[in-house]
Amino acid sequence: MTQVKAARAIPVQVDAVVNARTGDTMAQKITRITVATDLSARSDRAVERAFQLARALDVPVEILMILDDAMPETMRAPLHEKAEGQLNDLAARWAEGATFTVSVQAGDPTEALVTASETPGTLLVMGPHRPRPFLDALRETTMQRVVRRTPASVLLVTEPVLGPYRHILSLVDFNAPADNALALAAALSPEARIRPFHAVHVPYTGMLETT
C-alpha cells in the first residue's frame, strides 16, 4: 500500500501542487525529489522508488541522511564521511542515469526534512519507520510530524519496488486533500490504472437490520 499526501482544494490537474501552509495554488510540476534514508533496508525501497520516479519525471534526486547533532563531533565526523560514501554507493545502484546529490546533515530529523522539502515543486519520499509499539502509542513518529508540517507532497513507500506503479487505489471523500492526492497520483504514474474509492459510514446499522 502506497500512501500519498497532498494539500488543499484544486481542480484535478496533474501539473498542479498546492502549498499546504497557505492554500495558494501553484501551477507547477514536481521538479525535484528529496528522499530520506537511514541506510536501513526499510529506507532502501524509498531510495529505489525515488530514482524510478525521477527517471520517469526527468527530475533530480537529493538523498538526505540526518545524524544526531547531540553526538560529539569527534564521533560524528568519521560517521559523516562514511555515510556520504555509503549514500553514493546506494545511489549508484539505482540511479541509472538520473541526476543526484547526497547530503549528510547533523540535526533534528523532523526539522531537517521539513526544511529540505520547503523548495516549491519538491516531492518528499520516505520509508516506513521502525516499529516501536509503546513509544508510537505515546507520540507521533518522525514521518507523522513531517507530514503534518511540510509544505511538500509526501510519498510513503512501504513495499519493495517491482516496477512503476500499475494499480493505484485512491481514497476520496470529495474534499480538498483527497482531490490533491488523486491529482498527484496521476502525475506520478500517468500510465497506472487509478481506482477512486469512497466509503460511507452508516450509523446504527444494528437497529436498521431489525426494522
Side-chain angles (χ1 to χ4, degrees):
M1 176 66 70
T2 299
Q3 303 173 20
V4 179
K5 174 255 183 184
R8 300 184 183 176
I10 55 170
V12 180
Q13 300 175 3
V14 297
D15 60 349
V17 176
V18 169
N19 185 315
R21 290 182 178 173
T22 66
D24 295 333
T25 302
M26 300 175 291
Q28 60 184 8
K29 297 179 181 179
I30 296 297
T31 57
R32 63 192 296 269
I33 295 175
T34 295
V35 56
T37 180
D38 58 5
L39 297 175
S40 68
R42 299 184 309 277
S43 296
D44 283 359
R45 62 192 63 177
V47 176
E48 186 176 3
R49 177 62 70 187
F51 275 114
Q52 180 268 311
L53 291 171
R55 292 191 298 272
L57 300 174
D58 192 24
V59 298
V61 176
E62 177 190 24
I63 308 177
L64 178 61
M65 182 175 179
I66 312 300
L67 298 178
D68 186 354
D69 58 356
M71 187 183 303
E73 177 62 25
T74 53
M75 296 178 60
R76 192 168 64 239
L79 286 177
H80 188 286
E81 183 177 353
K82 186 174 182 179
E84 281 190 337
Q86 289 183 291
L87 292 180
N88 278 295
D89 291 343
L90 192 65
R93 189 189 313 172
W94 289 307
E96 297 181 15
T99 301
F100 69 89
T101 58
V102 301
S103 178
V104 181
Q105 302 177 14
D108 175 77
T110 300
E111 297 294 337
L113 290 173
V114 169
T115 299
S117 59
E118 286 180 337
T119 302
T122 297
L123 173 67
L124 179 61
V125 181
M126 302 177 67
H129 78 290
R130 181 175 59 186
R132 296 174 177 175
F134 179 72
L135 290 178
D136 290 349
L138 299 176
R139 65 182 186 185
E140 290 181 314
T141 65
T142 298
M143 184 273 295
Q144 290 170 330
R145 290 193 297 271
V146 169
V147 168
R148 177 168 52 81
R149 294 181 52 191
T150 181
S153 296
V154 179
L155 178 66
L156 174 63
V157 181
T158 61
E159 298 295 328
V161 179
L162 302 177
Y165 293 125
R166 297 299 182 192
H167 302 278
I168 297 175
L169 180 65
S170 183
L171 307 184
V172 296
D173 60 3
F174 309 107
N175 285 315
D179 291 345
N180 291 310
L182 184 61
L184 181 59
L188 296 180
S189 304
E191 297 182 0
R193 178 186 178 188
I194 302 177
R195 180 186 176 190
F197 181 84
H198 178 64
V200 178
H201 171 65
V202 180
Y204 309 113
T205 54
M207 295 179 63
L208 292 174
E209 291 173 356
T210 61
T211 58

